[in-house]
Amino acid sequence: MALSRMVGPVASDQERDQLAAQLMTLPVHELADVLRRVLPHYTEESNGLRTSLVLATATEYEDEPDGIDVTFVAWPDRDYYDGGLGPDQGLWEGGDCEQCHTEVSSNAKRAFCPVCGSRCELT
Ligand SMILES: [Zn+2]
């Protein structure tokens, strides 16, 4: 028996292509909501370290070749938006998480930090 059969389900290239094609049809705030349900399952904790898999944006500035801003995408506070995802817009809201001081961005003004889980108020 192949090793892949012993360690669990493994998707074929075609299955992963189909999944990627489905995800590419989503507006960014819906894509972020799908990944909110997925990425935390890949968090690893051991020896006092916790490593989270997060979604991030990287913004490059044409007039500053060395300047790249990286922010982590915060998950919309669905309770605040009555079960919704907040406005259907780009990840234009931004700020720092008050708890862990990570710079975050989101489509929503009320969101959760993807690193520490704290509620963030973005502008
Ligand atoms: Zn945080």
Side-chain angles (χ1 to χ4, degrees):
M1 179 181 279
L3 178 62
S4 63
R5 294 281 182 231
M6 293 191 289
V7 296
V10 175
S12 68
D13 273 342
Q14 185 180 3
E15 290 167 327
R16 290 193 300 275
D17 281 346
Q18 288 173 347
L19 185 56
Q22 269 188 296
L23 292 174
M24 284 189 284
T25 66
L26 299 175
V28 70
H29 71 305
E30 291 185 19
L31 174 65
D33 184 58
V34 171
L35 295 177
R36 174 189 63 82
R37 301 163 196 234
V38 175
L39 298 183
H41 291 282
Y42 295 87
T43 297
E44 294 183 5
E45 292 185 59
S46 68
N47 301 322
L49 298 175
R50 185 167 68 90
T51 303
S52 306
L53 190 58
V54 297
L55 180 64
T57 65
T59 303
E60 298 177 62
Y61 299 93
E62 286 180 9
D63 54 347
E64 293 178 45
D66 297 331
I68 298 176
D69 283 342
V70 176
T71 67
F72 297 138
V73 176
W75 316 124
D77 181 347
R78 299 197 64 172
D79 287 339
Y80 182 84
Y81 294 102
D82 294 325
L85 300 175
D88 178 6
Q89 63 177 2
L91 303 170
W92 305 125
E93 308 296 343
D96 291 330
C97 172
E98 287 185 19
Q99 185 71 34
C100 72
H101 309 291
T102 296
E103 190 172 348
V104 295
S105 59
S106 178
N107 66 293
K109 288 185 179 296
R110 300 292 188 277
F112 290 103
C113 173
V115 178
C116 73
S118 293
R119 183 171 277 127
C120 301
E121 294 191 13
L122 308 176
T123 56

